[in-house]
Amino acid sequence: VETRIASLWTANYLYFAFSSKYLVLNVFTGEQSAKEKWGLWDRDVVEVFINPNPERFNHYYEFEVSPNNQWIDLEIDLDKKPFNDAGWDSRFEHATRVDEASHVWSCEMRIPTSALSSQVRPGMEWRLNFYRAEGKGDDSRRRFLSWSPLPPGTKLSFHQPASFGIIRFVK
């Protein structure tokens, strides 16, 4: 379940590209990708959690895309109930491709920095993490990957800001 991630940035956009090996894809079928899909995390997805304001530790943005290009974006504030704002719309762009012969699916995301209430400049540091959920069945049978490890002994949830790594924007 290898996953590779590449990233680029401009002052106005963040770009992320995922390349994910798979055994069998697990996706929602028979639905359009034009609308957000609640519960997308219960199938195969790649995810980016971004905190452009590290002083607001529990506030960040979540972007998910599945192999068949279904998506959801959420504003998260763990200090509120409910902690996610499904009405928030980043207007991020995404595209996917499945290479069945190689058993690899890829995803590209273009996230406007204006949706994050920030612009990127060289030298800035943001907190973020990359995730992947993969496989069929309930969570005990699925595989979960993170770029920066989840804290030991915590429940299985990607919503662990203490696990976010640091990304530094350089020219």
Side-chain angles (χ1 to χ4, degrees), residues 74-140:
L74 301 163
E75 181 176 12
I76 306 292
D77 189 338
L78 297 178
D79 295 327
K80 294 182 179 177
K81 290 194 182 193
F83 69 85
N84 52 31
D85 181 357
W88 178 74
D89 184 6
S90 68
R91 295 186 178 9
F92 86 113
E93 298 172 75
H94 45 89
T96 60
R97 180 177 174 273
V98 177
D99 180 343
E100 292 179 5
S102 298
H103 282 261
V104 173
W105 73 276
S106 57
C107 171
E108 295 180 5
M109 297 181 192
R110 180 174 126 155
I111 301 169
T113 57
S114 60
L116 310 174
S117 302
S118 189
Q119 267 198 331
V120 180
R121 294 182 308 279
M124 291 182 90
E125 291 184 348
W126 290 4
R127 295 177 54 78
L128 66 87
N129 213 344
F130 302 104
Y131 303 103
R132 179 173 175 206
E134 193 269 343
K136 293 190 176 198
D138 64 19
D139 284 354
S140 68

Side-chain angles (χ1 to χ4, degrees), residues 39-58:
L40 193 59
W41 47 85
D42 289 330
R43 299 293 192 271
D44 291 358
V45 291
V46 292
E47 305 181 26
V48 181
F49 287 21
I50 303 172
N51 178 342
N53 301 302
E55 65 281 357
R56 292 186 65 197
F57 190 76
N58 287 329

